[in-house]
Amino acid sequence: SGTYERGDRKDSQTLGPKHQSKGKNFGWNRDKEMTQKILDAYDIHNGLGISMTTIYGRAMVSKLFNCEVVKVSPTRREFHHPRSEPFPTLRQFETAVIAEYGKHTIYRNKHGEQHAREKRRPDKGSFSEQAANILERTEADGYFLEEIPKGERDGNPMPPLCVVRIRDILTGILAGIGFSIGGETTQAYRSALFCMAIQKSLFGRLMGVDVDDADWPIIGLPAWFSVDRGPGASTKLIDKHASKIIFRDIAPSYAGQSKASIESTNPRTVTTSGPQQFIQSDLTYTQLAQREILRTVGQCARIDISGRITPEMRKAGVEGNPLSFFNYMNDDYRNVGNQMPFEDAVRTFLPQQTAIATARGISFLSHPYASDDVEKAGILDKAVRTGSLDIPAFALPICARQLWLDIDGSLTECQAMLKIRDDDRQLYLSIDDLKQLDELRRAADRADKESRVAIDAEFEQRFEQMTGTAWDAGSVQTQRPATRSDASQAEV
């Protein structure tokens, strides 16, 4: 009883629950013929963004059912068949489609494969299950800060700062951070790889942030580097020198879950109602970057990864955060990160610039740099003989406090300096900041030059008004002045 297929019966009495508004015997039973028409109608009319009710309405007036829309009251319409042939109710239509295709297929047809995969697929396990060692697999992604910095020149709103971070899949620790201005660029990913390759205390010194290696201990380049289809996937990301070290995996387009490990660490923004607005920050680009570095170091000790802790780790007292997890795995020699010498990291991941050496010292974008090593290298002596000398150099785009000069095949570090004793924190400027300051300097130099001419003219005029004679009144004589003659000495 109850196991037969209802579509095989031809009862005149309708089966199933009564219609909620029409009563007990309204409608027709759904037999095999009607079911096939329903499935054919669904196949024809389903598509992205099309609801089941829309499919049902289109099916009823199609050639499959040939229904008409009848006005039964000023505000109500119903489907009627002109020859009283059977047609399904909305509930019968939905039941037949769900029984044939399943709810997931229907959801996928309406919302798309990507959305269905993110929202309706069952859990297939943790991403950390893909790795057994530190830096075996990593993911990279970028996000933009809500705050808009002010320009150095006019104080106008500037393009936003993009932050790119790289996360280790196994431990969950954030392994590197890079920056770019105005957009997500390849150089931001290169800067993040540079951060990965060096000691974090050194990176902190370069960025003007006090970072302890114990708080951010990870060093090395990954064996597997996953990015999305964007600047991070550019062929210019890694040159031939580093191509033997890093392998890349490109996530599918518009597939956030393909890089869920790094996506989940990005700062969340709160959506508000009302007119469009933005946050005008009082911080410079470099100060915003310094803040994000501190945020990253803090997240290494606070992100919850307790679900990854194994029974053996719990016995060893490993805490449920990336830093504790990393220290345990690193002490167990389960680290496959590739080490790179500092000079190679600078040449590989930082953009090449051009510095100018003159007898007065080293300048980059008109800003002075100096160090004892530069003087020992003798590059300034060569500049004295030639007048000026262009030198290949490397600098962090977001903080050009340090400059590495390529002198005779080796890198020599020099630091930005001030011509007076003042606060050194103002030297932590991005290359874009230096360019704006250079434009300000050039404009000021032009204005100062004209101002000096005007000042000279003003005081010459004041002298002439005061004395009645010109500033340089007199005549040119062709003989030597006899200032020691008796007549001259008598006047004195």
Side-chain angles (χ1 to χ4, degrees), residues 72-114:
V72 296
S73 75
T75 59
R76 181 169 293 178
R77 309 290 190 276
E78 289 182 354
F79 290 112
H80 283 203
H81 198 283
R83 294 182 299 278
S84 296
E85 294 179 1
F87 65 90
T89 63
L90 175 59
R91 182 171 180 174
Q92 287 175 317
F93 192 94
E94 291 178 335
T95 301
V97 173
I98 292 173
E100 177 67 19
Y101 295 107
K103 290 185 177 180
H104 176 74
T105 299
I106 297 171
Y107 190 90
R108 182 190 63 195
N109 292 341
K110 179 182 177 181
H111 297 280
E113 175 64 32
Q114 192 65 49

Side-chain angles (χ1 to χ4, degrees), residues 250-272:
I250 301 177
S253 300
Y254 311 107
Q257 285 190 338
S258 297
K259 299 191 286 69
S261 294
I262 184 63
E263 292 271 5
S264 63
T265 65
N266 293 344
R268 297 291 184 263
T269 57
V270 179
T271 302
T272 59

